[in-house]
Amino acid sequence: DKKLVFTARVKRFFLFLFFAIIFQSILCLYAQICSKLGVVLPLLIAHFASVIFEKMAFEGFKKEARTKLQSIPQLKVVAITASYGKTSIKNFLAHILSSSFDVYATPRSVNTLGGIVKDINESLPTRAQIYIVEAGARERGDIDEIAQLVNPHIAIVGRIGEQHIEYFKTLENIRNTKMELLHSSRLEKAFVHESAHVKSDDKTVIFGSDIRNINATLDGTSFELLLDGEWVSFTCNLLGDFNAINLAAAIHVAKSLGVKIETIQASLLGLKSVEHRLQKIEAGGKLIIDDSFNGNLEGMLSSYELIATYVGRKVIITPGIIESTEEANRTLAQKIDSVFDVVILTGKSNVALLDSHIQRPEKIILADKSELQSQ
């Protein structure tokens, strides 16, 4: 659902291909050596030349990024991973810490090694005191590479579930990959959700069961979190009780960095929902839920239960659950069918499945999310 862009890497490939074709033509014309492989040989030469060049260039960019990180002595690195919710945790934590520190976080959903390297080299300010890094993965070792690069002082491993199950095959593989984030020589503290099924130690704090009295309404969410043996109340304007878990991770980290409880509580009151993630918009007597980025089944179902209590027309914008199972998307479609009056389906991954299971509401299908503005 994105327009074609000729990146610098693609342009370099075509440059290698051009020279390979010229080289083959010269051999054929002057040396009478004509390859039976025809156009295949230049493509192979261009491919291998491109792979070697890009690998060498990327190693140089990695070295530059590592050097830059080491050149900022005051910088504390906080790295975050999870099956879902890592972008929310990142944004929540950046918001809370910004009142006490000079904070820089990876933008949007930049969470691959290449994206993080580019972000460090081009955008990380040398004045920053806190650098919050979101780490994603498609296979074993991806998060380990990120951990080795940024060498975090603090690690957060959020909820672990079946997101990306088609890449990892088993939940155990997903868990092991997420736990690679703790592979840091300067790790001071790790906050790990109970779904990882690991034991606490002098550096590892398990969270999730330390939350109680979660109360979620269409106006916001409140909960209590156990801190230093006392239950502390927090309130925010976010939609959905699942946000309590993501906020708990951010609160734990902020407290470990010396931010006062009162400051954290005040910061939460000013929190806004992450754009396109259960973003609530009220207009003309309609409740519009922009959930067009992605989410997890449990959080979406509980939030849609809340939305069902709204008196008026209810509109949902969703691509379904990206990189999850067909069963999860069928369950989601059934809930959408029972709650909403208008459904706007975006992207291509789950459109056919969702369309076949959503019958009652009016449906609008958009292959390109950029068309949302005109609807």
Side-chain angles (χ1 to χ4, degrees):
D1 58 357
K2 294 181 181 179
K3 292 182 179 179
L4 177 65
V5 176
F6 286 96
T7 64
R9 183 171 183 169
V10 171
K11 291 175 182 177
R12 285 193 292 269
F13 172 81
F14 281 114
L15 184 63
F16 285 127
L17 181 60
F18 172 76
F19 284 122
I21 292 171
I22 295 295
F23 177 70
Q24 185 188 48
S25 299
I26 291 172
L27 286 178
C28 187
L29 184 63
Y30 293 101
Q32 302 298 310
I33 301 174
C34 296
S35 171
K36 294 180 180 180
L37 294 176
V39 73
V40 175
L41 183 61
L43 283 170
L44 289 173
I45 293 172
H47 170 70
F48 286 115
S50 179
V51 168
I52 293 168
F53 179 87
E54 297 301 334
K55 199 164 189 177
M56 291 174 60
F58 187 62
E59 287 302 316
F61 295 143
K62 275 174 63 178
K63 185 177 180 180
E64 182 185 347
R66 192 175 286 112
T67 300
K68 184 173 180 179
L69 287 173
Q70 293 170 350
S71 71
I72 310 175
Q74 80 281 2
L75 191 68
K76 284 267 188 182
V77 179
V78 181
I80 302 167
T81 192
S83 291
Y84 34 77
K86 52 187 176 290
T87 302
S88 295
I89 296 172
K90 176 187 70 178
N91 289 339
F92 297 161
L93 181 60
H95 176 83
I96 294 168
L97 294 180
S98 62
S99 61
S100 306
F101 300 96
D102 193 326
V103 180
Y104 179 78
T106 49
R108 302 175 302 280
S109 293
V110 170
N111 59 25
T112 63
L113 179 64
I116 292 166
V117 165
K118 187 173 185 290
D119 183 56
I120 292 169
N121 290 336
E122 296 181 0
S123 304
L124 176 63
T126 55
R127 69 176 187 279
Q129 295 172 293
I130 306 288
Y131 180 34
I132 306 175
V133 182
E134 178 182 338
R138 289 292 178 88
E139 59 184 46
R140 293 286 296 272
D142 283 356
I143 290 179
D144 181 63
E145 285 188 311
I146 294 171
Q148 295 302 313
L149 172 70
V150 301
N151 214 14
H153 299 85
I154 298 173
I156 301 173
V157 179
R159 293 193 68 170
I160 292 173
E162 293 186 345
Q163 212 88 337
H164 309 302
I165 194 73
E166 72 271 34
Y167 300 119
F168 294 98
K169 308 305 179 187
T170 69
L171 204 57
E172 183 67 12
N173 286 338
I174 294 174
R175 187 199 76 85
N176 292 339
T177 302
K178 301 303 181 186
M179 292 304 295
E180 291 172 358
L181 194 65
L182 277 62
H183 297 172
S184 169
S185 61
R186 59 182 183 182
L187 187 70
E188 297 171 359
K189 212 76 176 173
F191 298 91
V192 181
H193 188 262
E194 59 186 355
S195 58
H197 301 297
V198 298
K199 294 181 179 179
S200 60
D201 54 38
D202 58 335
K203 285 187 177 181
T204 307
V205 175
I206 309 302
F207 71 94
S209 59
D210 53 354
I211 308 168
R212 73 176 189 184
N213 294 337
I214 302 174
N215 181 34
T217 70
L218 285 175
D219 296 319
T221 303
S222 63
F223 61 95
E224 292 181 335
L225 181 64
L226 187 62
L227 298 171
D228 296 332
E230 294 185 10
W231 291 99
V232 183
S233 298
F234 296 93
T235 302
C236 65
N237 295 320
L238 302 175
L239 182 67
D241 55 5
F242 66 93
N243 279 304
I245 293 171
N246 297 334
L247 286 167
I251 292 166
H252 278 302
V253 172
K255 185 176 178 298
S256 73
L257 289 170
V259 182
K260 294 181 178 179
I261 297 297
E262 296 79 9
T263 303
I264 298 174
Q265 289 171 320
S267 295
L268 261 60
L269 292 173
L271 262 178
K272 294 182 180 179
S273 60
V274 178
E275 192 174 13
H276 307 308
R277 286 175 172 82
L278 281 170
Q279 185 179 4
K280 184 176 73 171
I281 305 166
E282 292 189 66
K286 297 188 294 293
L287 178 64
I288 302 170
I289 301 299
D290 184 352
D291 210 7
S292 59
F293 188 83
N294 199 9
N296 68 87
L297 180 62
E298 185 180 343
M300 295 166 92
L301 292 179
S302 65
S303 299
Y304 297 171
E305 287 283 355
L306 282 178
I307 295 160
T309 65
Y310 179 80
V311 179
R313 282 175 67 79
K314 295 174 280 290
V315 181
I316 179 72
I317 305 167
T318 181
I321 311 172
I322 306 298
E323 297 172 336
S324 189
T325 62
E326 287 191 8
E327 182 182 353
N329 276 292
R330 277 196 296 270
T331 302
L332 180 69
Q334 290 165 4
K335 174 59 69 174
I336 289 173
D337 191 75
S338 67
V339 171
F340 293 93
D341 302 294
V342 179
V343 180
I344 301 176
L345 301 175
T346 63
K348 300 173 183 177
S349 303
N350 301 310
V351 164
L353 190 151
L354 294 175
D355 187 31
S356 65
H357 286 84
I358 297 173
Q359 304 295 330
R360 187 185 59 83
E362 176 188 347
K363 285 178 287 190
I364 300 171
I365 298 175
L366 301 178
D368 189 342
K369 284 191 287 190
S370 64
E371 297 175 27
L372 274 173
Q373 200 69 28
S374 62
Q375 295 301 316

